[in-house]
């Protein structure tokens, strides 16, 4: 009797056509502007901490370093915090440096350097239009969106708009 009931319920439902989803934008914003003092670091080890990233760029006087974290559901964030385990990174991050000269020097010297067996790529970051860089005192705050994902081209510590 169960087998006969199943096709009847399926036959009553008709699939509604859905509009195709817009793909998420990857990479820097098309209308972005090159940052004056920030670099984007790609191909980082997934378990690298923000402190370690800041240490790697110590010769260039970094004021802040942020690693993009993998998006995970809020209940998993709570579980990881309860276990005192760090979240895994997405393999890239941003370092805010003292000046444009330091930024250019960091791109020149650090691009292609090997970190924990991975060759990192260092490029000038592209800022999203309409977002201003912040001053150093707010650099310690967390730039997370409501779902806990660092927005790739946000300045290190802006409030969500």
């Amino acid at each position: 009797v169960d087998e006969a009931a199943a096709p009847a319920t399926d036959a009553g439902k008709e699939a509604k056509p859905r509009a195709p989803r817009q793909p998420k934008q990857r990479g820097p914003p098309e209308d972005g502007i090159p940052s004056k003092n920030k670099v984007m670091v790609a191909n980082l080890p997934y378990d690298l901490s923000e402190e370690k990233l800041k240490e790697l760029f110590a010769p260039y006087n970094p004021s802040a370093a942020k690693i993009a974290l993998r998006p995970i559901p809020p209940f998993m964030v709570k579980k990881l915090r309860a276990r005192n385990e760090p979240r895994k990174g997405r393999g890239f991050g941003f370092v805010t440096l003292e000046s444009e000269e330091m930024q250019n020097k960091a791109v020149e010297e650090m691009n292609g350097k090997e970190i924990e067996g991975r060759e990192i790529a260092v490029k000038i970051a592209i800022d999203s239009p309409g977002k201003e860089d912040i001053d150093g005192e707010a650099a310690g705050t967390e730039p997370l969106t409501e779902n806990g994902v660092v927005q790739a081209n946000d300045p290190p510590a802006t409030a969500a708009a």
Side-chain angles (χ1 to χ4, degrees):
V1 177
D2 291 336
E3 293 174 73
T9 56
D10 288 344
K13 291 182 185 176
E14 285 189 33
K16 293 179 185 173
R18 283 191 191 173
R21 284 188 185 168
Q22 288 292 328
K24 287 187 180 179
Q25 181 186 349
R26 298 175 83 79
E30 289 144 26
D31 53 350
I33 35 179
S35 176
K36 297 263 186 264
N37 63 344
K38 198 179 328 163
V39 293
M40 188 265 204
V41 189
N43 203 29
L44 291 171
Y46 297 114
D47 57 352
L48 192 78
S49 68
E50 290 178 352
E51 295 79 34
K52 180 84 170 132
L53 182 61
K54 201 169 177 178
E55 281 174 30
L56 291 169
F57 282 84
Y60 312 103
N61 300 327
S63 60
K66 290 289 170 190
I67 289 182
L69 299 174
R70 289 185 185 210
I72 57 174
F75 78 92
M76 284 300 296
V77 173
K78 289 177 186 168
K79 277 187 177 183
L80 289 172
R81 282 192 186 135
R83 294 183 200 148
N84 207 14
E85 292 179 25
R87 282 179 62 184
K88 287 217 188 276
R90 293 173 68 187
F92 69 93
F94 296 87
V95 181
T96 305
L97 303 170
E98 185 179 75
S99 65
E100 199 167 349
E101 296 83 46
M102 286 296 181
Q103 177 196 41
N104 292 327
K105 191 175 175 188
V107 169
E108 223 175 84
E109 295 175 6
M110 294 291 285
N111 192 26
K113 187 174 180 183
E114 196 167 299
I115 309 291
E116 295 180 26
R118 298 174 70 108
E119 190 177 302
I120 62 169
V122 182
K123 304 172 190 167
I124 293 174
I126 305 295
D127 286 329
S128 297
K131 296 203 174 171
E132 303 297 320
D133 274 347
I134 47 95
D135 51 4
E137 68 184 48
T141 60
E142 291 195 26
L144 299 179
T145 62
E146 60 279 351
N147 63 358
V149 178
V150 174
Q151 295 301 304
N153 293 309
D154 280 355
T158 57

